Amino acid sequence: NAGVMQNPRHLVRRRGQEARLRCSPMKGHSHVYWYRQLPEEGLKFMVYLQKENIIDESGMPKERFSAEFPKEGPSILRIQQVVRGDSAAYFCASSRDPTYNEQFFGPGTRLTVL
Amino acid sequence: AQKITQTQPGMFVQEKEAVTLDCTYDTSDPSYGLFWYKQPSSGEMIFLIYQGSYDQQNATEGRYSLNFQKARKSANLVISASQLGDSAMYFCAMREGPGGGTSYGKLTFGQGTILTVHP
């Protein structure tokens, strides 16, 4: 039973480029959460999605960031026109349902903006 | 106000000794869950243990136990018989319910505690 998959594991972008981060939840999990970890800090919630629906995007920056979780395929976190401050580790987590007592994390994508 | 507070930026413990990592939380929601995760230097987030607000007993998972004191709003992680491989960053996190004015499911994390196990 594969865990949460994220790719790429490392992503380097120049300022102004787009970054697309992908997350495949665990089998049987339909709830996906994205978190960002800045250097030397804890994880901060960004967005919570179910298939084809954004449930809570209260942690998403208002501009340049978007997320989707289509009916088929992985969840995508998209960052347009990246800036140096976007450099961070981006983690995806999944759960069977929001009340479940486990939320499993993927290995993360480390984004570096040059 | 901080919802999750981990007051120990760093902790040291001798191999085979027990160590307690502190976590206090703040919520007005009667239904919530508390999680502990381990983040080794490789960066992944490893789920360790969960405690629900209505659970009568403290959670245990192998060498990990959660000292849950509801009235004090604390959820300390106890690691028994520390091993060198326990050296890592440890995060406490809370999941609130709809009564907390937020969506069910998302986790709020503390700042973390770096644990170093000495041989």
Side-chain angles (χ1 to χ4, degrees), chain A residues 21-86:
Chain A
L21 288 61
R22 287 176 290 278
C23 168
S24 297
M26 285 180 70
K27 188 177 179 181
H29 288 194
S30 60
H31 298 259
V32 165
Y33 311 84
W34 285 93
Y35 297 85
R36 177 165 65 175
Q37 185 178 30
L38 295 170
E40 311 299 325
E41 293 189 14
L43 279 73
K44 296 281 195 298
F45 167 79
M46 298 182 76
V47 61
Y48 163 29
L49 310 105
Q50 281 182 269
K51 284 284 186 182
E52 300 185 277
N53 286 306
I54 297 175
I55 307 300
D56 181 349
E57 56 182 349
S58 58
M60 287 276 269
K62 297 295 180 209
E63 296 177 351
R64 302 187 297 107
F65 285 72
S66 62
E68 62 177 7
F69 189 14
K71 189 176 179 181
E72 301 290 337
S75 175
I76 306 285
L77 179 68
R78 183 179 176 212
I79 311 172
Q80 295 179 288
Q81 298 176 317
V82 296
V83 301
R84 288 221 174 98
D86 297 333

XYZ file of all heavy atoms in Angstrom, chain A residues 21-86:
546
model
N 3.507 21.514 -8.377
C 3.825 20.454 -7.421
C 2.657 19.464 -7.425
O 1.490 19.870 -7.364
C 4.003 21.037 -6.010
C 5.261 21.868 -5.711
C 5.368 23.109 -6.579
C 5.279 22.252 -4.253
N 3.006 18.176 -7.459
C 1.973 17.159 -7.569
C 1.920 16.280 -6.329
O 2.955 15.996 -5.708
C 2.219 16.290 -8.805
C 1.911 17.000 -10.117
C 2.259 16.122 -11.310
N 3.680 15.965 -11.458
C 4.476 16.849 -12.047
N 3.985 17.973 -12.537
N 5.770 16.610 -12.148
N 0.719 15.840 -6.007
C 0.500 15.002 -4.830
C -0.533 13.929 -5.138
O -1.660 14.245 -5.545
C 0.013 15.852 -3.661
S -0.623 14.884 -2.266
N -0.138 12.676 -4.948
C -1.081 11.560 -5.066
C -1.354 11.025 -3.672
O -0.422 10.547 -2.998
C -0.502 10.464 -5.958
O -0.312 10.946 -7.269
N -2.602 11.100 -3.196
C -2.896 10.637 -1.834
C -2.806 9.123 -1.730
O -2.698 8.418 -2.728
C -4.340 11.106 -1.619
C -4.925 11.199 -2.994
C -3.795 11.592 -3.888
N -2.838 8.659 -0.500
C -2.851 7.217 -0.267
C -4.113 6.621 -0.857
O -5.157 7.286 -0.964
C -2.792 6.922 1.224
C -1.445 7.133 1.853
S -1.422 6.776 3.616
C -1.603 5.005 3.598
N -4.051 5.357 -1.209
C -5.207 4.664 -1.764
C -6.349 4.708 -0.756
O -6.162 4.458 0.440
C -4.829 3.212 -2.061
C -5.896 2.443 -2.817
C -5.417 1.045 -3.138
C -6.494 0.272 -3.879
N -6.067 -1.101 -4.190
N -7.516 5.088 -1.229
C -8.675 5.145 -0.351
C -8.854 6.482 0.344
O -9.834 6.691 1.057
N -7.900 7.388 0.173
C -7.993 8.706 0.790
C -8.505 9.717 -0.231
O -7.963 9.825 -1.326
C -6.618 9.163 1.291
C -6.141 8.433 2.497
N -5.072 8.882 3.254
C -6.582 7.296 3.091
C -4.887 8.043 4.258
N -5.777 7.077 4.177
N -9.523 10.484 0.171
C -10.074 11.471 -0.753
C -9.917 12.896 -0.232
O -10.447 13.832 -0.830
C -11.554 11.177 -1.013
O -12.277 11.225 0.207
N -9.214 13.055 0.881
C -9.014 14.373 1.472
C -7.531 14.703 1.411
O -6.702 13.921 1.878
C -9.501 14.401 2.925
C -10.963 14.117 3.067
N -11.882 15.115 3.258
C -11.654 12.963 2.997
C -13.097 14.577 3.323
N -12.986 13.277 3.162
N -7.222 15.856 0.840
C -5.837 16.259 0.631
C -5.608 17.640 1.248
O -6.439 18.541 1.113
C -5.506 16.284 -0.879
C -4.214 17.046 -1.144
C -5.381 14.865 -1.418
N -4.488 17.772 1.908
C -4.111 19.034 2.553
C -2.722 19.409 2.069
O -1.841 18.555 1.989
C -4.084 18.872 4.082
C -5.313 18.215 4.651
C -5.422 16.827 4.683
C -6.355 18.965 5.169
C -6.549 16.206 5.192
C -7.492 18.356 5.690
C -7.573 16.970 5.692
O -8.693 16.362 6.199
N -2.520 20.693 1.810
C -1.193 21.199 1.466
C -0.704 22.105 2.595
O -1.458 22.934 3.119
C -1.221 22.000 0.162
C -1.344 21.170 -1.072
C -2.483 20.818 -1.732
C -0.264 20.602 -1.833
N -2.194 20.061 -2.845
C -0.835 19.918 -2.930
C 1.129 20.613 -1.706
C -0.059 19.251 -3.888
C 1.893 19.952 -2.649
C 1.297 19.282 -3.723
N 0.576 21.928 2.941
C 1.224 22.725 3.975
C 2.544 23.244 3.433
O 3.173 22.614 2.584
C 1.522 21.882 5.224
C 0.309 21.321 5.924
C -0.260 20.114 5.515
C -0.262 21.979 7.013
C -1.371 19.591 6.161
C -1.374 21.456 7.670
C -1.917 20.268 7.235
O -3.014 19.757 7.876
N 2.978 24.377 3.972
C 4.274 24.938 3.583
C 5.148 25.059 4.828
O 4.662 25.481 5.899
C 4.084 26.314 2.937
C 5.381 26.998 2.560
C 5.177 28.153 1.621
N 4.435 29.258 2.195
C 4.233 30.413 1.567
N 4.705 30.598 0.351
N 3.549 31.366 2.150
N 6.398 24.712 4.681
C 7.358 24.843 5.769
C 8.499 25.730 5.305
O 9.320 25.315 4.480
C 7.891 23.477 6.219
C 8.808 23.556 7.432
C 9.300 22.197 7.895
O 9.453 21.268 7.100
N 9.560 22.062 9.188
N 8.529 26.935 5.856
C 9.654 27.825 5.586
C 10.842 27.366 6.417
O 10.673 26.709 7.449
C 9.267 29.268 5.913
C 8.153 29.854 5.025
C 7.671 31.172 5.572
C 8.640 30.007 3.601
N 12.058 27.731 6.010
C 13.244 27.295 6.763
C 13.148 27.646 8.242
O 12.750 28.759 8.600
C 14.378 28.066 6.080
C 13.887 28.303 4.684
C 12.404 28.500 4.812
N 13.490 26.697 9.071
C 13.522 26.874 10.533
C 12.148 27.140 11.140
O 12.049 27.679 12.244
C 14.472 28.024 10.934
C 15.847 27.972 10.297
C 16.618 26.714 10.657
O 16.470 26.230 11.799
O 17.361 26.194 9.795
N 11.080 26.796 10.456
C 9.744 27.026 10.994
C 8.908 25.754 10.972
O 9.291 24.752 10.365
C 9.032 28.119 10.183
C 9.647 29.489 10.333
C 8.787 30.570 9.704
O 7.613 30.316 9.389
O 9.309 31.685 9.552
N 7.768 25.832 11.639
C 6.820 24.724 11.590
C 6.013 24.775 10.309
O 6.148 25.682 9.497
N 5.162 23.778 10.129
C 4.331 23.720 8.928
C 3.127 24.637 9.077
O 2.536 24.734 10.151
C 3.844 22.284 8.702
C 4.821 21.322 8.039
C 5.936 20.912 8.982
C 4.088 20.092 7.518
N 2.781 25.269 7.969
C 1.623 26.159 7.951
C 0.621 25.650 6.913
O 0.999 25.410 5.763
C 2.022 27.595 7.591
C 2.945 28.251 8.593
C 2.208 28.742 9.809
C 3.014 29.717 10.657
N 4.227 29.151 11.208
N -0.626 25.528 7.322
C -1.686 25.068 6.439
C -1.885 26.041 5.278
O -1.855 27.263 5.452
C -2.992 24.940 7.233
C -4.224 24.768 6.395
C -4.527 23.534 5.857
C -5.063 25.840 6.151
C -5.669 23.362 5.085
C -6.209 25.686 5.391
C -6.516 24.448 4.854
N -2.097 25.458 4.096
C -2.390 26.292 2.931
C -3.818 26.064 2.430
O -4.622 26.982 2.357
C -1.401 25.988 1.805
C 0.038 26.290 2.153
S 1.118 25.971 0.763
C 0.782 27.396 -0.267
N -4.123 24.786 2.085
C -5.401 24.518 1.438
C -5.818 23.080 1.702
O -4.970 22.199 1.859
C -5.303 24.802 -0.085
C -4.272 23.902 -0.755
C -6.644 24.703 -0.772
N -7.145 22.874 1.738
C -7.736 21.563 1.978
C -8.689 21.289 0.817
O -9.560 22.100 0.515
C -8.434 21.580 3.335
C -9.441 20.479 3.620
C -9.349 19.204 3.059
C -10.483 20.728 4.516
C -10.276 18.221 3.363
C -11.420 19.753 4.820
C -11.303 18.499 4.239
O -12.227 17.530 4.551
N -8.496 20.133 0.176
C -9.310 19.802 -0.984
C -9.883 18.399 -0.877
O -9.275 17.511 -0.276
C -8.458 19.846 -2.273
C -7.611 21.065 -2.548
C -6.143 20.778 -2.284
C -7.778 21.514 -3.975
N -11.047 18.239 -1.437
C -11.584 16.918 -1.751
C -11.656 16.838 -3.267
O -11.467 17.844 -3.950
C -12.984 16.757 -1.158
C -13.008 16.437 0.325
C -14.430 16.237 0.805
O -15.077 17.178 1.249
N -14.914 15.027 0.718
N -11.995 15.674 -3.756
C -12.062 15.518 -5.211
C -12.952 16.607 -5.823
O -14.118 16.743 -5.469
C -12.643 14.148 -5.557
C -11.671 13.002 -5.361
C -10.650 12.938 -6.465
C -9.764 11.697 -6.350
N -8.740 11.646 -7.390
N -12.353 17.383 -6.702
C -13.032 18.428 -7.481
C -13.535 19.599 -6.626
O -14.237 20.464 -7.148
C -14.205 17.843 -8.287
C -13.764 16.770 -9.275
C -14.899 16.276 -10.141
O -15.653 15.397 -9.669
O -15.043 16.781 -11.267
N -13.217 19.631 -5.351
C -13.696 20.722 -4.500
C -12.580 21.287 -3.628
O -11.779 20.539 -3.081
C -14.805 20.223 -3.569
C -16.108 20.004 -4.307
O -16.618 20.890 -4.970
N -16.627 18.795 -4.195
N -12.555 22.608 -3.504
C -11.710 23.263 -2.517
C -12.569 23.504 -1.288
O -13.574 24.215 -1.354
C -11.140 24.593 -3.043
C -10.239 24.336 -4.254
C -10.370 25.314 -1.934
C -9.728 25.607 -4.912
N -12.183 22.900 -0.172
C -12.970 23.006 1.050
C -12.551 24.236 1.862
O -13.378 24.949 2.414
C -12.829 21.742 1.922
C -13.139 20.484 1.114
C -13.705 21.845 3.161
C -14.540 20.442 0.522
N -11.260 24.463 1.943
C -10.743 25.558 2.775
C -9.436 26.032 2.168
O -8.492 25.260 2.093
C -10.536 25.053 4.211
C -10.032 26.121 5.177
O -9.622 27.225 4.729
O -10.021 25.859 6.393
N -9.398 27.259 1.705
C -8.155 27.808 1.160
C -7.708 29.015 1.970
O -7.044 29.924 1.461
C -8.314 28.154 -0.316
C -9.453 29.122 -0.621
C -9.604 29.392 -2.109
O -8.714 29.002 -2.892
O -10.612 29.997 -2.490
N -8.042 29.020 3.248
C -7.763 30.178 4.090
C -6.276 30.446 4.282
O -5.878 31.542 4.634
C -8.439 30.016 5.460
O -7.990 28.834 6.086
N -5.429 29.445 4.051
C -4.001 29.630 4.227
C -3.254 29.943 2.938
O -2.028 30.111 2.949
N -3.962 30.045 1.856
C -3.319 30.294 0.562
C -3.089 31.794 0.377
O -3.986 32.593 0.616
C -4.212 29.794 -0.575
C -4.261 28.307 -0.697
S -2.894 27.664 -1.635
C -3.642 27.703 -3.255
N -1.898 32.177 -0.078
C -1.705 33.577 -0.485
C -2.736 33.941 -1.549
O -3.139 33.102 -2.354
C -0.285 33.580 -1.040
C 0.388 32.424 -0.377
C -0.664 31.384 -0.206
N -3.145 35.189 -1.526
C -4.250 35.601 -2.400
C -3.862 35.599 -3.869
O -4.697 35.399 -4.753
C -4.723 37.020 -2.024
C -5.281 37.126 -0.622
C -6.537 36.328 -0.447
C -7.076 36.462 0.969
N -7.814 35.281 1.387
N -2.605 35.813 -4.148
C -2.176 35.904 -5.538
C -1.130 34.838 -5.832
O -0.400 34.403 -4.948
C -1.578 37.298 -5.808
C -2.602 38.414 -5.639
C -1.987 39.788 -5.828
O -0.753 39.883 -5.924
O -2.755 40.764 -5.874
N -1.096 34.415 -7.047
C -0.083 33.537 -7.641
C -0.231 32.067 -7.247
O 0.342 31.214 -7.911
C 1.343 34.011 -7.298
C 1.646 35.425 -7.739
C 3.130 35.763 -7.534
N 3.520 35.717 -6.122
C 4.270 34.761 -5.581
N 4.740 33.758 -6.319
N 4.576 34.814 -4.297
N -0.948 31.759 -6.197
C -1.077 30.379 -5.731
C -2.463 29.847 -6.079
O -3.471 30.528 -5.885
C -0.879 30.286 -4.215
C 0.538 30.419 -3.767
C 1.176 31.645 -3.819
C 1.238 29.319 -3.283
C 2.500 31.774 -3.399
C 2.551 29.442 -2.851
C 3.185 30.676 -2.915
N -2.496 28.606 -6.554
C -3.776 27.939 -6.791
C -3.595 26.451 -6.572
O -2.470 25.932 -6.635
C -4.292 28.222 -8.209
O -3.397 27.720 -9.173
N -4.708 25.773 -6.303
C -4.647 24.325 -6.072
C -5.875 23.681 -6.667
O -6.942 24.298 -6.774
C -4.573 24.028 -4.572
N -5.702 22.441 -7.081
C -6.818 21.675 -7.603
C -6.632 20.208 -7.265
O -5.507 19.742 -7.023
C -6.931 21.842 -9.125
C -5.744 21.348 -9.905
C -5.928 21.472 -11.410
O -6.928 22.060 -11.843
O -5.078 20.949 -12.139
N -7.749 19.496 -7.269
C -7.735 18.051 -7.035
C -8.797 17.482 -7.967
O -9.951 17.331 -7.606
C -8.046 17.746 -5.577
C -7.851 16.299 -5.171
C -7.156 15.398 -5.960
C -8.367 15.853 -3.959
C -6.968 14.083 -5.572
C -8.184 14.538 -3.551
C -7.488 13.653 -4.363
N -8.399 17.184 -9.200
C -9.383 16.764 -10.197
C -9.933 15.366 -9.914
O -9.383 14.615 -9.101
C -8.583 16.794 -11.507
C -7.158 16.632 -11.091
C -7.040 17.268 -9.737
N -10.987 15.044 -10.627
C -11.620 13.731 -10.457
C -10.622 12.603 -10.725
O -10.606 11.583 -10.043
C -12.815 13.620 -11.398
C -13.691 12.409 -11.194
C -14.894 12.462 -12.112
C -15.763 11.221 -11.924
N -16.930 11.242 -12.838
N -9.824 12.788 -11.742
C -8.786 11.815 -12.061
C -7.420 12.489 -11.931
O -7.250 13.617 -12.366
C -8.957 11.310 -13.509
C -10.309 10.657 -13.788
C -10.456 9.326 -13.081
O -9.427 8.709 -12.752
O -11.604 8.907 -12.845
N -6.484 11.777 -11.348
C -5.136 12.308 -11.285
C -4.808 12.939 -9.947
O -5.639 13.015 -9.039
N -3.562 13.417 -9.835
C -3.095 13.933 -8.554
C -3.628 15.335 -8.249
O -4.149 16.024 -9.132
C -1.573 13.976 -8.739
C -1.398 14.224 -10.195
C -2.520 13.474 -10.871
N -3.439 15.736 -7.022
C -3.688 17.128 -6.654
C -2.492 17.953 -7.117
O -1.336 17.489 -7.078
C -3.857 17.251 -5.141
O -3.986 18.597 -4.768
N -2.754 19.168 -7.559
C -1.698 20.046 -8.068
C -1.706 21.350 -7.260
O -2.762 21.962 -7.080
C -1.915 20.410 -9.554
C -2.071 19.167 -10.423
C -0.785 21.310 -10.047
C -0.805 18.416 -10.703
N -0.538 21.730 -6.785
C -0.345 23.077 -6.217
C 0.471 23.861 -7.230
O 1.562 23.441 -7.617
C 0.373 23.005 -4.874
C 0.648 24.351 -4.192
C -0.661 25.007 -3.751
C 1.571 24.177 -2.991
N -0.073 24.974 -7.671
C 0.558 25.753 -8.733
C 0.954 27.119 -8.192
O 0.140 27.803 -7.565
C -0.427 25.905 -9.881
C 0.073 26.621 -11.093
C -1.024 26.650 -12.131
N -0.660 27.413 -13.312
C -1.512 28.099 -14.060
N -2.785 28.123 -13.736
N -1.100 28.754 -15.115
N 2.189 27.476 -8.430
C 2.688 28.793 -8.013
C 3.157 29.506 -9.271
O 4.101 29.071 -9.931
C 3.851 28.691 -7.011
C 3.521 27.717 -5.868
C 4.162 30.081 -6.442
C 4.695 27.424 -4.947
N 2.487 30.590 -9.587
C 2.869 31.357 -10.770
C 3.854 32.461 -10.386
O 3.834 32.969 -9.258
C 1.622 31.986 -11.396
C 0.642 30.969 -11.946
C -0.602 31.623 -12.529
O -1.439 32.121 -11.786
N -0.715 31.628 -13.839
N 4.718 32.806 -11.330
C 5.661 33.919 -11.157
C 6.360 33.837 -9.799
O 6.266 34.761 -8.978
C 4.916 35.247 -11.315
C 4.305 35.410 -12.697
C 3.471 36.681 -12.827
O 2.709 37.012 -11.918
N 3.634 37.382 -13.929
N 7.059 32.751 -9.578
C 7.674 32.511 -8.271
C 8.646 33.628 -7.902
O 9.286 34.243 -8.773
C 8.382 31.139 -8.229
C 7.378 30.014 -8.392
C 9.501 31.045 -9.250
N 8.734 33.854 -6.593
C 9.685 34.816 -6.020
C 10.537 34.063 -5.001
O 10.201 32.944 -4.596
C 8.964 35.999 -5.344
C 8.083 36.728 -6.356
C 8.123 35.537 -4.168
N 11.649 34.706 -4.584
C 12.576 34.017 -3.684
C 11.886 33.595 -2.386
O 12.193 32.554 -1.816
C 13.781 34.909 -3.376
C 14.708 35.057 -4.552
C 16.166 34.997 -4.125
N 17.031 34.991 -5.304
C 17.623 36.066 -5.785
N 17.462 37.244 -5.203
N 18.395 35.969 -6.861
N 10.933 34.392 -1.936
C 10.219 34.062 -0.698
C 9.361 32.816 -0.783
O 8.875 32.329 0.246
N 9.172 32.292 -1.996
C 8.405 31.042 -2.150
C 9.272 29.819 -1.870
O 8.747 28.705 -1.795
C 7.836 30.932 -3.574
C 6.844 32.023 -3.908
O 6.198 32.551 -2.969
O 6.711 32.367 -5.096
